[in-house]
Amino acid sequence: MSCGEPHDKDCSEVLDHLYEYLDREMPAGECEKFQEHFDECSPCLEKYGLEQAVKKLVKRCCGHDDVPVDLRSKVMGRIDLIRAGEAVPEQSVLEQAKQEQAAARAAQAAKAPEQASGPGPDSTLDARGETARAE
């Protein structure tokens, strides 16, 4: 996209790095150049405003979900693979994280001791499914 006006930073370059700007993940000098561009270019400013609104909406609506601790590092690792041109696993990072979380919960549940109210080693279930102590 280009507005047709000359700028120090090309519109397509600004839009390609818009989320880095929104997320404040770029050097301060670059941020200043982006801000200058938005001051001069209303189509890019409009796109910036739209993306900023979407980001705020997503944060408001989805910001309360628990995210696996290592999800960011897995996503960044997947991005690095893509940038390097390497093969990327078919499974999504989120699905992989969910499976790992479920496996960790299962392992933790297996380690947990039986509840005190549960049947003991010398107990059996009677015909009604109730615990009966072997005497």
Side-chain angles (χ1 to χ4, degrees):
M1 177 189 137
S2 179
C3 67
E5 299 292 323
H7 301 288
D8 288 342
K9 276 240 182 264
D10 186 57
C11 294
S12 60
E13 182 182 352
V14 168
L15 296 178
D16 284 346
H17 298 282
L18 184 58
Y19 272 91
E20 290 174 53
Y21 179 79
L22 280 168
D23 295 338
R24 299 170 196 235
E25 295 179 344
M26 61 175 39
E30 284 294 302
C31 287
E32 290 171 8
K33 291 176 184 176
F34 273 62
Q35 187 58 53
E36 288 174 17
H37 184 92
F38 293 133
D39 291 343
E40 300 171 350
C41 182
S42 60
C44 287
L45 180 61
E46 184 178 341
K47 180 73 172 165
Y48 165 76
L50 177 64
E51 295 299 327
Q52 187 178 39
V54 167
K55 184 177 164 120
K56 285 180 182 178
L57 178 65
V58 168
K59 182 178 181 179
R60 188 182 75 213
C61 294
C62 304
H64 305 291
D65 295 338
D66 290 335
V67 176
V69 176
D70 60 341
L71 181 59
R72 179 178 169 79
S73 64
K74 289 179 181 177
V75 169
M76 294 307 293
R78 191 71 65 95
I79 290 170
D80 290 341
L81 286 176
I82 292 168
R83 285 183 177 159
E86 296 180 25
V88 179
E90 292 288 323
Q91 187 180 33
S92 75
V93 173
L94 188 56
E95 282 301 314
Q96 180 183 356
K98 284 180 182 178
Q99 285 181 351
E100 289 173 3
Q101 217 174 25
R105 279 194 300 266
Q108 187 177 13
K111 290 179 183 178
E114 259 186 35
Q115 295 179 354
S117 63
D122 57 347
S123 303
T124 60
L125 296 179
D126 64 14
R128 292 174 290 173
E130 294 178 359
T131 303
R133 280 248 179 236
E135 308 239 353

